[in-house]
Amino acid sequence: MEVNHYFDDQVLSLSFENSNGLSSVGVMEPGNYEFLTSQNERMVVISGAFLVQRENDPEPLLYSDGEEFHVTNDQTFNVEVTEPTAYLCEYS
């Protein structure tokens, strides 16, 4: 496992690899964050909510408990978080 720190420790995650491949599970504190993907990502909201704006979305979309979204590699996306939110990210 590896601990990852982003945005002055406002986003923390644990990376791990298992039979499903590379994944991370983490928590984001309230704020606005911009990410750039290097692989395809499947993001699942475990608890809380994300307001997500991907490059090709006409407007931001809200994802909450149990919902998922996908982001292709080499794409920038923005996430707005209004309460501490836990997530799972699977890479492919």
Side-chain angles (χ1 to χ4, degrees), residues 8 17 38 42 58 62 92:
D8 294 324
E17 194 161 352
S38 60
R42 174 182 172 257
L62 182 65
S92 62

Side-chain angles (χ1 to χ4, degrees), residues 8-62:
D8 294 324
D9 289 341
Q10 295 299 299
V11 178
L12 300 175
S13 70
L14 288 173
S15 298
F16 62 95
E17 194 161 352
N18 62 18
S19 60
N20 292 334
L22 181 62
S23 300
S24 64
V25 62
V27 176
M28 293 186 195
E29 289 289 341
N32 292 296
Y33 307 102
E34 182 176 273
F35 296 95
L36 174 63
T37 62
S38 60
Q39 302 177 59
N40 293 328
E41 297 184 10
R42 174 182 172 257
M43 297 279 294
V44 181
V45 178
I46 297 170
S47 177
F50 290 148
L51 188 61
V52 177
Q53 177 75 51
R54 292 170 292 196
E55 290 178 6
N56 296 321
D57 290 340
E59 60 187 50
L61 299 170
L62 182 65

